[in-house]
Amino acid sequence: MAIFSDNPELQNQWHAVATDVEVTNGVIGRQLLGQKLVLYKDASGTVNVAPDRCPHREAPLSAGEVKDGALVCCYHGWSFGEAGKCISIPSADPGFPIPKSGHLPCYKSEVRYGLVWVCLGEPASEIPEIPQDTDSKFRRINNPVDHWRVSATRMTDNFLDIAHFPWVHTGTFGNSQRLAVEKIDLEDLPNGFHGYVYDVVAENPPSAGLSSGQSAGDVSRTMTTGFCLPFAVRSTIKYDTGLEHIILLVSTPMDDLNSYFTFVIWRNDDFSVSSEDTVLFDRSIGEEDRVMLEKIPGVLPFEHGALANSQSDKPSTAWRLKLTQLLKDK
Ligand code: FES
Ligand SMILES: [Fe+2]
């Protein structure tokens, strides 16, 4: 796929660009599908997302600041409140009417799972559903949004892939003794995800103990991994102990070759280990993926026959086919 980030259908999808906490701390700039965005929280506590361009003289609004719940442009001090409404032009007489074009054309946005999701067009689908988010037996752990110099297409392909575990995750859970991937059968999973169930014996070094809840040695785990278009992957790890560890891996295209990566975890543990310690192991796994993927230039090819596949690439192949269909619909 030559250029995918300007495909109009992607504008009609939800993409996570920041954590809610990042916006609480002030105004931030982001980029989504090549568009520069500003995010700020207004006096009502709502996150607003708009083009990072002041309607007055095009200064980047992300260089401004939030004062008393309004975003103040750093160039001439025009300020913007709820839903992007321009509420003050300091240089103008009090009776001067605010021009219609002086308001910010806000995009649709929603805070869900501690993340700010944005849709640049008209939403054609829902934000991925994670029912455990409202289940009191589970706790949610958020992580920072990082910038990876990788195409989101390569990230999603990787997050559906089992065969790289013993090669890439040698510092974490990968087990060099077990290279073969057993047959994968794809199925519809709950909540609109599509993927597979897979039993795997994983390495459980001391550093993994806080995540797996078990002391060192190999651990058996059942992984249920699937995708939700365009770029969400959910992996549920179930241990024999009854512990469920759900990871939502979120890849967001800044453009074709740069992406935001974050992951959210839900766990039904006893909440005794701190959130920070619980996710350290998963963060190390993510780092291993990032280092590998940043070695691979360009967008994942989507043309038929462009990539050689083996049986373990079935989930990725299914995802690529569905994404291609989605993008061709427009
Ligand atoms: S450019 Fe923003 S107030 Fe003038
Ligand atoms: Fe990986």
Side-chain angles (χ1 to χ4, degrees):
M1 196 181 299
I3 293 189
F4 75 94
S5 63
D6 60 356
N7 186 294
E9 187 51 39
L10 280 182
Q11 308 221 344
N12 295 332
Q13 305 292 325
W14 290 101
H15 303 276
V17 297
T19 62
D20 184 25
V21 172
E22 286 176 289
V23 187
T24 306
N25 293 340
V27 51
I28 59 169
R30 286 288 135 107
Q31 184 175 309
L32 173 61
L33 302 172
Q35 305 236 33
K36 295 249 196 300
L37 305 176
V38 62
L39 283 67
Y40 70 98
K41 208 169 243 191
D42 64 33
S44 73
T46 304
V47 175
N48 298 278
V49 181
D52 192 12
R53 167 194 176 273
C54 180
H56 178 225
R57 286 297 178 274
E58 301 191 309
L61 290 166
S62 58
E65 59 180 334
V66 171
K67 260 193 194 159
D68 303 325
L71 172 60
V72 183
C73 179
C74 62
Y75 197 1
H76 310 89
W78 289 33
S79 56
F80 307 89
E82 293 178 21
K85 192 166 178 239
C86 180
I87 52 176
S88 167
I89 300 178
S91 62
D93 291 335
F96 180 80
I98 287 173
K100 253 192 180 161
S101 56
H103 306 297
L104 304 182
C106 287
Y107 296 113
K108 290 190 168 61
S109 62
E110 190 172 324
V111 174
R112 182 98 60 94
Y113 318 137
L115 300 176
V116 180
W117 300 78
V118 184
C119 177
L120 298 177
E122 285 305 317
S125 56
E126 306 287 324
I127 294 170
E129 194 189 338
I130 308 290
Q132 288 82 359
D133 195 58
T134 51
D135 184 337
S136 60
K137 292 192 291 299
F138 285 77
R139 62 167 157 163
R140 189 184 74 220
I141 305 173
N142 278 97
N143 293 278
V145 172
D146 296 323
H147 173 184
W148 287 17
R149 286 168 179 78
V150 181
S151 170
T153 54
R154 293 203 185 276
M155 293 161 70
T156 310
D157 172 67
N158 170 275
F159 299 151
L160 291 167
D161 171 35
I162 296 170
H164 75 281
F165 291 175
W167 299 95
V168 172
H169 296 300
T170 50
T172 53
F173 72 101
N175 188 327
S176 56
Q177 309 307 306
R178 300 173 179 87
L179 303 180
V181 175
E182 285 162 30
K183 186 169 170 284
I184 295 172
D185 292 315
L186 297 178
E187 58 187 282
D188 283 334
L189 303 171
N191 316 117
F193 285 80
H194 186 73
Y196 56 92
V197 182
Y198 193 79
D199 288 322
V200 66
V201 177
E203 297 238 344
N204 187 49
S207 58
L210 295 177
S211 178
S212 66
Q214 299 180 45
S215 50
D218 288 356
V219 286
S220 301
R221 55 195 213 180
T222 302
M223 291 177 59
T224 306
T225 299
F227 63 84
C228 179
L229 290 177
F231 303 114
V233 174
R234 182 187 60 186
S235 207
T236 303
I237 300 168
K238 284 189 188 166
Y239 295 95
D240 296 343
T241 55
L243 174 66
E244 277 185 53
H245 185 86
I246 300 163
I247 311 173
L248 182 68
L249 299 151
V250 183
S251 310
T252 296
M254 301 168 71
D255 55 30
D256 275 7
L257 304 178
N258 293 274
S259 309
Y260 296 120
F261 169 71
T262 193
F263 66 100
V264 187
I265 285 176
W266 292 263
R267 287 165 63 87
N268 62 347
D269 59 9
D270 61 7
F271 302 5
S272 61
V273 178
S274 75
S275 298
E276 205 168 304
D277 285 344
T278 303
V279 298
L280 281 178
F281 191 64
D282 286 324
R283 286 197 64 76
S284 304
I285 295 170
E287 266 305 284
E288 289 174 326
D289 286 320
R290 183 188 63 76
V291 169
M292 177 65 238
L293 293 175
E294 288 192 346
K295 297 182 204 296
I296 313 176
V299 175
L300 188 78
F302 274 62
E303 298 80 19
H304 184 70
L307 293 171
N309 293 299
S310 80
Q311 54 159 14
S312 66
D313 297 309
K314 211 164 149 186
S316 162
T317 304
W319 163 72
R320 283 187 293 147
L321 189 64
K322 283 187 191 278
L323 184 65
T324 306
Q325 285 164 352
L326 176 82
L327 301 188
K328 273 194 185 147
D329 277 351
K330 284 282 137 99

